[in-house]
Amino acid sequence: MAALAPAGPGDAASAALDELSLNFTYGAPGVGNGSLSGAWYRRNQIHLFGVLLAILGNLVISISLNIQKYSHLQLAQQEHPRPYFKSVLWWSGVLLMAVGETGNFAAYGFAPITLIAPLGCVSVTGSAIISVTFLKDNLRASDLLGMTLAFAGTYLLVNFAPNITQAISARTVQYYFVGWQFLIYVIFEILIFCILLYFYKRKGMKHMVILLTLVALLASLTVISVKAVSGMITFSMTDKMQLTYPIFYIMFIIMIASCVFQVKFLNQATKLYNTTRVVPVNHIFFTISAIIAGIIFYQEFLGAAFLTVFIYLFGCFLSFLGVFLVTRNREKEHLQQSYIDFGNIPGKQMLDKIQPDSNSLSYGTLPDGSDSTNSQSGEKKEV
């Protein structure tokens, strides 16, 4: 019999990798393994629960946004409008938004980032449906097409997202946190962030792409930390307590800090540019950044087939296109004319210009100055 060799550092690394491999469950190929089969749903029940939380959370967010919009409209119609933060209706919208964001946060603990992040299109399309139904906004052909494309993209995303179930424990997060893939990714991201921040602060370049790229770079850290925190909380509730590990609080601090600065740059973008331009671009940048973060940090596409990845990316493209069509030129419809177009008054015919040409001799005078002068002189004689 051969003598047993003492365990070395390589054996410890192999044991850690074996433990991580137990956290992954891939769908084995076989009969009934299609995306619509009962076996697929049984194997992905935990994913579907996360998808349901994300969809419901995004729908609640869209309802909250429309409630806040309705509150602003009501206050604007009052003779002496009071501040919006004193409105009970506005605060109910804020409360619903907190509930929706909580649902999104919990969804990351049950499903991969690459599955949850693209579902943000549900909030945009849901908000458009609610505004048309309750706020009587115009329903355009591009809205119907955009909603159809967004729903089709969501279906492809849910069915062809990475078929992987991963238990997020503190040891798993620690292993990924010090992995060479993530370290290279963080160094590259910090380098790009510093360059863009230099052009934004020092050179005064406040282009929308620069601002939203800064938001996306921060968002990648946000989704990584959110999934880590949510996953460790879920693991603590279902298996073993994970909140005593320092990595939990490190990820929690990263989550809070990245969210704060992300909101700062996003608010700056909305102040400088129309929301109809910011929303679709931010959705695209955020989704791409989140997918890359999920692939690099959590290795969510490990072992995925090429066709699955292609259909998944095609579903992302459909959702991007749907969001763009729904938000395109949305605000321009609410702009009201600050003047009266006399040419459009029913039953009235415009006989002369309201304002003559500034280069003509009659600029600043009435269209028929001689008649008006004669009439005024006649009135003076009669008096």
Side-chain angles (χ1 to χ4, degrees), residues 32-41 155 159-160:
N33 196 42
S35 62
L36 296 178
S37 64
W40 184 90
Y41 287 109
Y155 174 81
N159 282 277
F160 293 94

Side-chain angles (χ1 to χ4, degrees), residues 49-58 60-61 96-110 116 230:
F49 182 69
V51 169
L52 181 62
L53 283 176
I55 291 177
L56 290 178
N58 284 307
V60 171
I61 290 173
L96 284 178
M97 179 173 289
V99 173
E101 293 294 351
T102 303
N104 275 334
F105 173 81
Y108 283 101
F110 297 97
I116 299 300
S230 179

Side-chain angles (χ1 to χ4, degrees), residues 23 58 107 149 152 187 203 212 215 245 293 308 351 363:
N23 290 331
N58 284 307
L149 292 176
I187 293 172
K203 300 296 183 180
L212 295 184
V215 173
Y245 290 88
T308 301
L351 299 178
Y363 180 76

